Amino acid sequence: MGASDTEAGKMSFATTTATDTPPLGSDLQPRKSLLEKTLSIISDVQPGEGLGALILTINLFTLLGAYYLLKTVRESLILAEGGAEVKAYSSAAQAIILLGVVPLYGWIATHLNRNRLLRFTTLFFASNLIIFYLVGRTGTRIGIVYYIWVGIFNVFSVAQLWSFATDLFSQSQGKRLFPLLGVGASAGAVGGAWIAGRLIGPLGPYKIILISAAVICVCSALTRLAGYVITKRAGEQEKKKDTETLSSEGGFQLLMRDRYLLLIAILTVLLNIVSLSGDFIFGKLLVNQTNEVVGTAASLMKARKAYIGSYYASYYEWTNLVSFIIQTFLVSRIFKRIGVRGSLFVLPAISLATFVTILASPILRVVRVLKIAENSTNYSLQNTVRHALLLPTSREAKYKVKAAIETFCVRLGDVLQAGVIFVGTALHFNVRAFATMTLVITVLWLFVAYRLYIEHKHLAPECH
């Protein structure tokens, strides 16, 4: 082919491209369906994205609903069979067990493609619940084992579904659609807790376990359906991911050799320490107020429990409500305004304000408002940020590293926070001293967020 033929070919291609691409606003431009227009009230859903995003949102709603059913049973069994001390020790045991579970999951992920991995793990967890139901009905104490299992199930199943979402969507799609998916998760948590409170009495814990097993199987079907709908629209390149397996590197190996992923892990640990330390301080202030209002006599124990229980019930109701409002109406707008990496600083700024306030004036009603703001932002905006940070990473990171971060790193934060409380208690710290120590950790958290901001800017410069 001569030069003139080449130029003619280029002109022909350019003409065809310009002709095939409808001008913006023309009748040929894809238009949003009624579903997509409705979902766009929450987040910017583009033409063709509505059905897949809705199925994933319903999937997260169903999964979080099932988790809160199981969580209610967990509290019932562990406290009745072991007590609060056993519950604390069981939380620490989770972190140790996860050191073995995370590499095992990585090995399984290497040998199964995406569809089989999701189906296998989901149905495996459902089968575990049937075993718990059968063993529990015999009168055997399952509280400790079940408590550890629920903690592992929660972080693995939820992390895996979000990993699936990061694998299905591009960076720009994830930034727009993840706030919508987060609404499903938030609503599922509220709905699951509400339903559990009304079923635990008449049905008892073991029937709820059996119901949850069925719900998890529904989640497996929804995951498969979402993958089919989204990959069908995305084309052959996306469909290949359903049959491709991951590399043989483990989650911890990938984590330790990638600075960006390591920063996410460190941020997760620090966030957990700060959040749980704040909860501890809030609890101490509430106990002090209970002593003043009700009294400390042993004969008043029932009244003390009722006062604390009522206070926490109101506190959790407000936290869940505010979290749902933030997720539904603010997260997508915050992402649009300051982006994923700018959103990294919102929660630590609120935490900083909380502990500075405690230092200045540790008044329960003030701390209560700040902790509601902090926890609700954590469960909504920060939760969505955490998942969105993995959008520009490899598929191995999205599945294996995310599993490591959401399981081991979260539980490591639990253990380290317990160490902070142990040291502080041994040194006879008061509330202000605990707040000072946590304030230092919060400043470190802000520094890690800044480093992560820089790394994300290099990794995804087109996203703000």
Side-chain angles (χ1 to χ4, degrees):
M1 182 181 290
S4 59
D5 292 333
T6 305
E7 292 300 320
K10 288 181 179 178
M11 289 178 64
S12 174
F13 174 77
T15 305
T16 304
T17 304
T19 305
D20 291 344
T21 305
L24 197 63
S26 72
D27 292 338
L28 296 176
Q29 190 76 16
R31 294 184 176 180
K32 291 185 179 182
S33 66
L34 178 61
L35 171 63
E36 286 151 358
K37 289 178 181 178
T38 304
L39 295 177
S40 291
I41 296 172
I42 298 172
S43 191
D44 182 15
V45 181
Q46 294 298 310
E49 295 175 340
L51 182 58
L54 179 63
I55 295 171
L56 275 176
T57 301
I58 295 172
N59 200 354
L60 279 161
F61 173 87
T62 307
L63 181 60
L64 267 294
Y67 166 64
Y68 270 85
L69 287 175
L70 296 171
K71 186 178 180 180
T72 302
V73 173
R74 180 189 74 177
E75 301 303 318
S76 170
L77 293 179
I78 193 70
L79 292 175
E81 295 180 4
E85 292 80 10
V86 173
K87 177 181 174 180
Y89 299 146
S90 298
S91 294
Q94 284 179 1
I96 298 171
I97 293 172
L98 285 167
L99 281 172
V101 173
V102 170
L104 175 62
Y105 176 82
W107 182 85
I108 294 171
T110 300
H111 292 81
L112 296 177
N113 61 44
R114 181 171 71 182
N115 280 336
R116 290 179 178 176
L117 175 66
L118 295 167
R119 187 165 58 250
F120 170 78
T121 51
T122 305
L123 296 179
F124 172 75
F125 282 128
S127 68
N128 293 168
L129 288 173
I130 295 173
I131 295 171
F132 279 126
Y133 169 78
L134 295 173
V135 174
R137 295 281 288 183
T138 65
T140 304
R141 292 192 170 196
I142 62 172
I144 295 175
V145 176
Y146 179 77
Y147 183 93
I148 294 171
W149 180 91
V150 170
I152 294 172
F153 162 77
N154 172 38
V155 289
F156 261 110
S157 59
V158 176
Q160 183 175 255
L161 188 51
W162 277 105
S163 297
F164 184 52
T166 59
D167 202 18
L168 288 172
F169 295 131
S170 66
Q171 289 185 54
S172 59
Q173 284 180 309
K175 181 182 172 182
R176 289 186 291 100
L177 298 177
F178 276 19
L180 173 63
L181 271 56
V183 171
S186 295
V190 174
W194 184 85
I195 293 171
R198 281 146 185 81
L199 292 183
I200 189 73
L203 295 183
Y206 300 116
K207 287 184 179 178
I208 291 181
I209 288 177
L210 200 59
I211 291 170
S212 300
V215 174
I216 291 170
C217 290
V218 172
C219 290
S220 179
L222 287 171
T223 302
R224 186 71 185 94
L225 179 60
Y228 172 78
V229 170
I230 295 171
T231 55
K232 183 180 179 181
R233 175 180 179 270
E236 293 301 320
Q237 188 63 32
E238 183 62 38
K239 289 179 183 177
K240 288 181 181 179
K241 293 182 181 180
D242 282 337
T243 55
E244 290 177 349
T245 56
L246 304 177
S247 70
S248 59
E249 283 188 286
F252 288 127
Q253 288 176 288
L254 290 164
L255 183 63
M256 295 308 296
R257 70 174 177 80
D258 190 301
R259 184 165 55 184
Y260 177 73
L261 296 173
L262 187 59
L263 285 169
I264 295 175
I266 295 171
L267 183 137
T268 302
V269 173
L270 293 175
L271 186 159
N272 229 34
I273 294 172
V274 171
S275 178
L276 292 174
S277 296
D279 290 341
F280 172 75
I281 292 171
F282 176 76
K284 284 184 72 69
L285 291 173
L286 178 55
V287 169
N288 292 339
Q289 178 166 301
T290 304
N291 293 340
E292 294 174 4
V293 174
V294 179
T296 59
S299 58
L300 298 172
M301 182 59 68
K302 185 176 180 180
R304 285 168 53 79
K305 289 180 179 179
Y307 183 86
I308 293 173
S310 175
Y311 199 95
Y312 264 112
S314 172
Y315 172 71
Y316 287 141
E317 285 174 7
W318 276 104
T319 300
N320 288 334
L321 176 61
V322 175
S323 174
F324 181 76
I325 292 171
I326 293 172
Q327 185 68 59
T328 305
F329 300 108
L330 295 181
V331 172
S332 64
R333 290 160 177 83
I334 292 171
F335 271 23
K336 191 173 183 179
R337 176 75 63 173
I338 63 175
V340 172
R341 54 178 172 260
S343 301
L344 280 167
F345 300 99
V346 176
L347 182 58
I350 295 173
S351 297
L352 203 64
T354 299
F355 294 107
V356 169
T357 302
I358 293 172
L359 278 173
S361 182
I363 301 172
L364 179 61
R365 63 178 179 271
V366 177
V367 175
R368 181 179 188 267
V369 172
L370 289 167
K371 281 301 295 178
I372 288 172
E374 182 184 27
N375 286 343
S376 58
T377 303
N378 187 12
Y379 302 155
S380 54
L381 176 64
Q382 184 65 31
N383 190 47
T384 310
V385 169
R386 198 170 71 245
H387 302 307
L389 285 171
L390 288 172
L391 282 167
T393 62
S394 66
R395 296 188 71 218
E396 283 75 15
K398 289 171 182 174
Y399 286 96
K400 296 181 181 181
V401 176
K402 186 170 181 60
I405 291 172
E406 298 292 327
T407 55
F408 177 73
C409 292
V410 169
R411 297 308 168 202
L412 178 61
D414 293 349
V415 174
L416 292 177
Q417 186 267 340
V420 169
I421 293 173
F422 177 80
V423 171
T425 302
L427 297 175
H428 305 289
F429 279 5
N430 59 18
V431 166
R432 282 191 170 91
F434 274 112
T436 302
M437 185 161 56
T438 311
L439 191 62
V440 173
I441 300 172
T442 307
V443 172
L444 179 59
W445 172 15
L446 273 167
F447 173 75
V448 173
Y450 170 73
R451 295 301 308 165
L452 192 55
Y453 176 96
I454 300 298
E455 291 293 326
H456 187 274
K457 194 172 183 179
H458 291 156
L459 196 61
E462 70 281 6
C463 297
H464 68 281

